[in-house]
Amino acid sequence: MKALFLNGTRKIAVQQVARPVPKPDEVLVRVEACGICGTDRHLFLGEFPSHPPVTLGHEFSGVIEAVGQEVTDLQVGMRVTGDPNIACGACDACHAGRVNLCHNLQAIGIHRHGGFAEYVAIPRKQAFALPLSLDPLHGAFCEPLACCLHAVDLAGLKAGASVTVIGGGVIGLLTVQLARLAGATRVALITRNPAKRELAARLGATTCLDPTSAEVEAYIHQTGGADVVFECAGLASTVAGAPRLARRGGMVVVLGVLPQGQKVEIEPFDLLFREVSMITSFLNPFTHARAADLIATGAIQVAPLITRRLTLDQAADVIASPAPDGEIRALVVPSLANGA
Ligand code: NAP
């Protein structure tokens, strides 16, 4: 089969390898779609630790091709989404139920072979069923959605809450939709690209703001700020500026990933006197099944987030280049003859 290998920093190539054989507790998945995430670009550049040589791809779904002998509750032909994050279940964080903080976390597509391949073998416990009636590309959004769900859970959103989301990428646009589903009545999305602002409005944002204009200041002045601000851009400037967008007693939830070692200037006086809390949200602890259900039922729209479909052969160059302006998600579709 074909698989896209990371062989070291800035070394990525499609290789012909043997199709994996599932272990007794694994399922073999024929990959239908796998999203290219910013993390894949960080892995390519050596900015994120991995274990090369390894097949990248951690946002995948597909159809079960074979099951190991111990797997009795999933059958060949079922569609599944893979939760890439494998917790050890034995460390103190796992024992405390904080599986996303597992000391021995192994991620499919980072530490072991992932979904930029025709087939991927994954532990049965990482597979979550999706209906066969679902568009085969949509399951690739379960992983990012599961991460956004954790953030919304941490925020404890209440019906009638006001929310501001910074960043109109996949994470921001999924968070906008989840915030509306959780009962937020005012959801502002801040992003530079006008097409992304238009899309956000279609997906449920009640206000869309351009950070390069005076609109954001005017919005804060008019509303007093949001109950919850979700930082989904992953920039020092947006993390530093997020508390200003929260109202007195509000909260900032940071999802965005900054390079290790990067510092951000925060004003503790402002946080204290306005009692604004600032927390972080990491990965998808116990949220993957709910994400699968939100996608399976169509409660969350993902079709408009697909910018383009790529073959495995096209994926290497795309991962090796910055995302083009306006791109939301490029999906690798191993069965494609040509990209579209
Ligand atoms: P992305 O596609 O890069 O989205 C970030 C968006 O921020 C861009 O689309 C960009 O859109 C916007 N942006 C850039 N400058 C901005 C500014 N000054 N103000 C407002 N928006 C700005 O990435 P993504 O896949 O959505 O992921 C977002 C972040 O979450 C990344 O840092 C990613 O690594 C992280 N992440 C975290 C978790 C977790 O568990 N915590 C999970 C997955 C991803 P415009 O061009 O329109 O401005």
Side-chain angles (χ1 to χ4, degrees), residues 36-39 41-42 48 58-59 85 100 143-148 150-151 165-174 189-197 209-212 216 231-235 237-238 254-258 280-285 323-329:
I36 296 181
C37 159
T39 304
R41 294 192 168 95
H42 289 303
F48 200 99
H58 58 276
E59 298 182 357
N85 300 307
N100 55 327
E143 195 273 342
L145 181 62
C147 294
C148 301
H150 180 48
V165 177
I166 310 170
V170 164
I171 297 296
L173 293 170
L174 291 173
L189 186 275
I190 303 174
T191 204
R192 295 166 308 173
N193 186 295
K196 291 182 186 173
R197 293 200 294 275
L209 303 165
D210 178 355
T212 64
V216 176
E231 197 291 324
C232 305
L235 300 168
S237 59
T238 50
V254 179
L255 284 102
V257 179
L258 270 62
T280 55
S281 175
F282 183 53
L283 300 181
N284 56 345
D325 191 31
E327 179 146 289
I328 300 177
R329 196 48 110 229

Side-chain angles (χ1 to χ4, degrees), residues 3 6-7 13 25 55 74 80 89 128-129 132 203 206 220 226 277 307 327:
L6 179 72
N7 290 313
D25 64 343
T55 306
L74 291 178
V80 290
F128 294 83
L132 283 174
L203 295 175
T206 52
I220 302 169
S277 54
T307 313
E327 179 146 289

